[in-house]
Amino acid sequence: MGEAEHPLQAYLDALYLKYKPLSEGKLASYIPELAKADPDCFSICIVTVDGQIFEVGNADQLFTIQSISKVFVYGMALAEHGREKVLSKVGVEPTGDPFNSIIRLDEYSKRPDNPMVNAGAIATTSLIQGTDPTDRLNRMLDMFRNYIGHDVYIDMSVFMSERSTGHRNRAMAHLMRHFGMIDANIDEALDLYFQQCSLMVNCCDLAVMAATLANKGVNPITGDRAVPSHCIRDILSVMYTCGMYNYAGQWAYQVGIPAKSGVSGGILAVIPNQVGIAVFSPPLDANGNSVRGIKVCEDLSHQFELHMFDLPMGCSHFLQTLENKP
Ligand code: GLN
């Protein structure tokens, strides 16, 4: 007789069937290669901090990570340079503007608002250290490998597609170079940014990456450290306030979980000290977020009481904090 199905698996199977018929949303087409995605592809994966994996749908389907990479490269920059240096080049303010907006850069701050929008992400990427472009790319791939737990690859056709059409990103990079927010060679920094966006992952990889953030930076499957634990709070803070584009405020209000989405249709969400969640479904809403992904996360948040302000009752931790400090 087979083992009884775990209740979480049964719940995910039902959630998948609930949203599978949803046909709203459009594929991203401003990066020509992304328009070739299969709109029916849909998967959900949850990985716990003790390494259990629950998945449903085409969880092996590969896609490019796109903006979700911004989270991890931000962590790498924090680890390499420390918070003060990174803050001098990239802020932590939500914009309320689309992810590819250029307007605020020139009009207001000169410094990109936060590392989750394109301008801030390009500035963050330009901070990555290395002796030459190959060394920087290899160091970045090593970082991603630690989060994912196996070898990683870049989708060359998506990379080339973005590289030849990403004029808005190029314009932002030049503006930031003008304002002294980027010191590096512009073309090299942009190539590295397009490469990080073209990293190939599947839904399960994303959930392991999320679980690594939930697990204070240690991959719960391999036991390898991907990022120093002291960087986790900073990473999750910007995910919470800025991770869902110009939907970030409503997301914080309704779902209440640090998360990041990408235009290929992925959403990665972190429940600190508990689980990592990933959803993949390419059709996007007007803000650039996966339509099915938003629905799934809303349901999970309500069902499992995941909103950050639904913390369990009790004051013992608060009262003991000073006692535990010298
Ligand atoms: N590579 C994409 C871009 O730079 C990433 C955007 C996204 O996923 N929101 O436009």
Side-chain angles (χ1 to χ4, degrees):
M1 208 174 73
E3 261 182 61
E5 190 179 41
H6 194 287
L8 177 57
Q9 187 60 51
Y11 176 83
L12 289 183
D13 292 345
L15 194 58
Y16 176 82
L17 290 178
K18 178 176 174 189
Y19 290 119
K20 180 80 179 144
L22 197 64
S23 60
E24 288 160 35
K26 287 203 182 82
L27 296 175
S29 57
Y30 77 101
I31 301 171
E33 275 299 304
L34 293 187
K36 297 179 183 168
D38 175 4
D40 291 329
C41 203
F42 177 30
S43 44
I44 309 168
C45 185
I46 294 185
V47 174
T48 64
V49 291
D50 62 3
Q52 300 177 67
I53 301 175
F54 300 88
E55 60 182 66
V56 59
N58 341 38
D60 297 335
Q61 173 70 46
L62 289 169
F63 54 93
T64 54
I65 189 168
Q66 294 300 333
S67 272
I68 299 173
S69 63
K70 293 168 180 169
V71 168
F72 304 96
V73 178
Y74 184 57
M76 189 173 178
L78 285 172
E80 285 184 0
H81 298 278
R83 184 191 284 160
E84 292 315 315
K85 164 82 192 244
V86 176
L87 272 177
S88 73
K89 303 289 182 186
V90 189
V92 288
E93 286 305 326
T95 65
D97 289 332
F99 62 86
N100 57 1
S101 176
I102 194 168
I103 195 94
R104 290 177 57 84
L105 211 51
D106 194 29
E107 294 251 305
Y108 306 101
S109 55
K110 321 295 180 210
R111 183 183 65 155
D113 291 283
N114 71 69
M116 301 291 115
V117 291
N118 286 11
I122 295 166
T124 308
T125 301
S126 78
L127 293 172
I128 297 309
Q129 293 174 328
T131 48
D132 56 41
T134 311
D135 187 43
R136 283 189 280 277
L137 174 61
N138 284 334
R139 294 187 64 253
M140 188 182 275
L141 292 178
D142 280 345
M143 176 275 291
F144 281 119
R145 190 179 300 117
N146 286 332
Y147 275 102
I148 294 175
H150 59 74
D151 277 343
V152 292
Y153 302 95
I154 284 174
D155 184 324
M156 280 309 283
S157 35
V158 174
F159 166 59
M160 294 306 286
S161 187
E162 281 208 68
R163 190 179 199 241
S164 55
T165 57
H167 305 298
R168 181 178 272 270
N169 286 332
R170 250 173 235 289
M172 286 190 242
H174 280 279
L175 208 49
M176 288 188 287
R177 180 82 174 80
H178 169 75
F179 289 132
M181 291 296 145
I182 292 186
D183 303 321
N185 175 300
I186 293 288
D187 293 324
E188 289 176 7
L190 281 164
D191 271 359
L192 191 56
Y193 170 74
F194 294 137
Q195 283 159 343
Q196 75 180 59
C197 291
S198 306
L199 185 88
M200 285 196 286
V201 290
N202 63 31
C203 191
C204 221
D205 293 333
L206 276 191
V208 173
M209 297 168 92
T212 301
L213 292 174
N215 195 34
K216 296 265 188 287
V218 174
N219 180 316
I221 311 289
T222 63
D224 291 336
R225 176 163 290 286
V227 62
S229 60
H230 67 85
C231 299
I232 296 290
R233 197 187 71 183
D234 293 347
I235 298 170
L236 295 183
S237 300
V238 289
M239 285 172 71
Y240 191 74
T241 52
C242 316
M244 300 300 287
Y245 310 132
N246 35 341
Y247 187 69
Q250 277 189 72
W251 174 271
Y253 190 82
Q254 282 168 3
V255 183
I257 307 173
K260 183 76 197 86
S261 72
V263 284
S264 51
I267 296 184
L268 167 151
V270 178
I271 316 300
N273 310 319
Q274 298 187 40
V275 298
I277 299 171
V279 190
F280 173 60
S281 167
L284 308 177
D285 63 19
N287 297 315
N289 293 317
S290 166
V291 175
R292 288 193 185 100
I294 295 270
K295 291 279 181 208
V296 165
C297 291
E298 280 175 358
D299 276 29
L300 286 171
S301 174
H302 295 146
Q303 178 69 32
F304 296 89
E305 299 175 3
L306 299 177
H307 195 293
M308 289 297 126
F309 304 132
D310 281 337
L311 282 178
M313 286 295 289
C315 53
S316 55
H317 174 74
F318 179 86
L319 293 175
Q320 280 162 15
T321 309
L322 289 177
E323 285 170 27
N324 294 340
K325 287 209 167 139

